[in-house]
Amino acid sequence: MQPNTLLDAILDEAGISHAGLAAHVNHAGKARGLALRYEHTAVARWLKGQRPRGQVPDLICEVLAARLHRSVTLDDIGLGVPGRPADPHAGGTLGGFVERATALWRSDEQQRPHILGAPAVTGTPAVMPVWEWENPPEDVDVSRGGRHRVSMTDIEMLRSARAHYEQMYRKTGGIATRARIVGFLNAEAAPLLRGCYTDATGRQLHRATGGLVAVAGICAYDSDAHGLAQRYFHQALRLAKASGDRGLGAYVIALLVNQSLFMREFRQSVAFAEAALRAAGRHITPALAADLYAMQAKAYAHLGDGSSALSCIRRAESAAERIHRRSEPDETGYVQPGLVNVQVAEALLSLGDLSAAREHSTAAVDTPAHDRGRVHRLAVLTQIELRQGEADKAVVTAVEMAEQARGMESRRLRDRLRAVREHLVRNGCSGTAEAAALIDGALRVPL
């Protein structure tokens, strides 16, 4: 079940509490001869994605229409009948998508528990957004008639915001950044998407918003809110399709590949990466291709397919050699020198080739990187040094890693720190106490 963000948003707009809606529905049902006894707990279940039975969805529309003094449809409250053609202003249209997307942003900013705690979907619901991005139909016209006319100045603001929040994420982590970027999406991006723009301007607007939404997804992933992150990534993919930019869509799929790797959905990681490489075609840049091939190599290594992993490693290295930073879009700036090395090192580590993994990991650490990337690279090198029996060197590397991680609020980096600490303590070499104490200090501050 997916949280019903449309119902959540319209309840908020109407100013009705969960208990209030239940009472109004019971009263409206009584007028139809129904003996209903709903309480606030039932409304909470509806918000989590459970569909009310019988005439109740229509009663909810009736109650909200009376409260808001306008017509309210089943599609407006996220309860459109499955298989029935959607209302032209909601459902499967781009306009309907915008309403669902902005409802999610609003619920996220208000920290609704059923949104923050939603699990990631698997199987067909996880695959369909990628399939829909890759296949027709395309958006023929994304123009919209709203009150505020969207200008290039507005779009430049969105692009600047994406760069700003990406840098904030790299320096302070996703937990600290997420509230800021979600607040921005609600205050600035949502009104623009509902504004007035031509098809040409709309393409650029959806592209700029898609880049921002992708960063919001990264921050949610870094905060351990995987269901929420996945929904942001799926939104970014839909916005990429509306923009007509295949390269942006491939970048978003790379984020889904990374999340799939974390969730140990290795075959899905391979399939998603293949979809991005296939569908983006000539629009894919060397930096993005290098990252996709490197992540495929990690997935194949986990699956025990050494030959496919090594083939992907060669392709990743070949693509990395063709990277020209000035020819790359802003989104692929994360593919910094040394990133492919550390990805390859992780794949080789899974394959048991410690010597080659050490060589790539050392090269990654010796290459300048942003703060967050450096923590990741040092964590991988620590793990390899311990596996090679070089505990003293591992302690030194771990100390540098712990010091570098100070000030960052990230669940993913905390996972790294805990894993390194566990390996050090298990090894029991001299100097372990100092490194463990530093890591404990970093973990002691609650997030």
Side-chain angles (χ1 to χ4, degrees):
M1 290 192 299
Q2 285 289 294
N4 189 338
T5 50
L6 284 175
L7 180 58
D8 194 8
I10 202 167
L11 284 183
D12 191 63
E13 181 186 355
I16 299 181
S17 67
H18 295 184
L21 177 64
H24 283 296
V25 166
N26 292 340
H27 183 73
K30 187 176 181 181
R32 296 190 186 188
L34 301 173
L36 304 177
R37 292 180 175 82
Y38 286 112
E39 296 181 349
H40 66 94
T41 52
V43 179
R45 290 195 298 273
W46 301 341
L47 293 175
K48 289 178 181 177
Q50 185 183 89
R51 184 180 178 83
R53 296 177 181 178
Q55 300 179 45
V56 175
D58 294 316
L59 293 173
I60 295 172
C61 289
E62 181 183 313
V63 168
L64 291 170
R67 185 81 168 208
L68 294 168
H69 306 291
R70 69 166 192 262
S71 173
V72 175
T73 68
L74 292 173
D75 289 319
D76 292 332
I77 62 172
L79 294 174
V81 179
R84 189 193 70 184
D87 184 283
H89 300 293
T93 65
L94 184 57
F97 160 76
V98 166
E99 292 309 312
R100 292 193 302 276
T102 53
L104 176 70
W105 305 346
R106 186 175 184 178
S107 295
D108 187 10
E109 186 175 27
Q110 294 171 344
Q111 298 187 349
R112 304 285 191 177
H114 63 280
I115 295 295
L116 302 180
V121 297
T122 57
T124 301
V127 173
M128 279 305 294
V130 176
W131 187 89
E132 289 171 350
W133 167 77
E134 186 178 0
N135 293 283
E138 306 299 324
D139 293 288
V140 178
D141 184 358
V142 302
S143 62
R144 182 164 177 152
R147 292 183 179 179
H148 172 74
R149 178 165 291 280
V150 177
S151 67
M152 285 308 300
T153 301
D154 296 319
I155 293 169
E156 286 299 332
M157 174 191 67
L158 296 179
R159 291 170 178 164
S160 297
R162 193 211 69 81
H164 172 79
Y165 291 119
E166 182 181 60
Q167 287 301 316
M168 183 183 294
Y169 159 77
R170 289 175 176 176
K171 292 179 183 298
T172 64
I175 292 175
T177 308
R178 196 167 74 81
R180 297 286 296 278
I181 193 169
V182 172
F184 181 89
L185 285 172
N186 278 293
E188 306 294 340
L192 292 176
L193 285 176
R194 296 193 183 102
C196 176
Y197 40 85
T198 63
D199 178 66
T201 300
R203 301 279 177 187
Q204 296 188 64
L205 172 63
H206 286 85
R207 195 206 181 288
T209 308
L212 260 171
V213 170
V215 177
I218 292 169
C219 291
Y221 166 82
D222 201 43
S223 305
D224 237 5
H226 286 284
L228 182 59
Q230 192 181 51
R231 295 186 75 180
Y232 274 121
F233 293 149
H234 290 166
Q235 285 183 5
L237 203 53
R238 181 66 185 91
L239 289 162
K241 180 149 189 167
S243 78
D245 189 328
R246 282 282 175 177
L248 177 64
Y251 156 74
V252 176
I253 293 183
L255 300 177
L256 285 167
V257 172
N258 183 63
Q259 185 181 36
S260 296
L261 281 172
F262 177 80
M263 295 168 63
R264 303 188 68 79
E265 297 278 354
F266 301 125
R267 295 192 186 281
Q268 182 173 283
S269 300
V270 170
F272 281 0
E274 286 178 351
L277 291 160
R278 177 178 61 246
R282 62 184 178 83
H283 298 289
I284 204 157
T285 65
L288 190 54
D291 188 39
L292 285 166
Y293 282 128
M295 287 192 291
Q296 268 194 321
K298 289 202 292 185
Y300 277 126
H302 280 293
L303 291 169
D305 187 344
S307 61
S308 294
L310 293 173
S311 175
C312 286
I313 286 173
R314 287 191 292 272
R315 290 176 183 174
E317 291 174 335
S318 176
E321 291 172 359
R322 300 195 306 272
I323 295 174
H324 294 288
R325 182 48 56 198
R326 292 181 181 178
S327 302
E328 292 283 337
D330 292 341
E331 285 82 11
T332 61
Y334 72 95
V335 187
Q336 297 184 326
L339 176 73
V340 170
N341 287 109
V342 75
Q343 298 270 48
V344 168
E346 289 181 280
L348 292 169
L349 185 61
S350 294
L351 293 174
D353 190 344
L354 297 182
S355 178
R358 173 69 172 272
E359 184 180 340
H360 279 279
S361 184
T362 301
V365 168
D366 289 343
T367 306
H370 58 72
D371 296 349
R372 182 189 182 83
R374 184 151 186 82
V375 174
H376 173 63
R377 296 178 189 194
L378 289 166
V380 173
L381 181 57
T382 302
Q383 188 177 358
I384 294 170
E385 287 171 338
L386 284 171
R387 288 273 295 273
Q388 288 189 309
E390 298 185 17
D392 291 341
K393 289 184 178 179
V395 167
V396 174
T397 307
V399 167
E400 184 181 352
M401 177 203 67
E403 290 175 341
Q404 186 79 51
R406 283 180 177 174
M408 295 186 193
E409 295 190 354
S410 160
R411 297 286 183 193
R412 295 287 70 77
L413 290 187
R414 288 206 163 194
D415 290 344
R416 286 280 183 188
L417 291 171
R418 287 192 184 95
V420 168
R421 186 192 187 285
E422 182 181 331
H423 291 148
L424 285 170
V425 171
R426 191 184 304 151
N427 189 279
C429 61
S430 62
T432 292
E434 177 195 358
L438 270 175
I439 293 173
D440 285 341
L443 296 175
R444 194 169 292 123
V445 179
L447 296 180

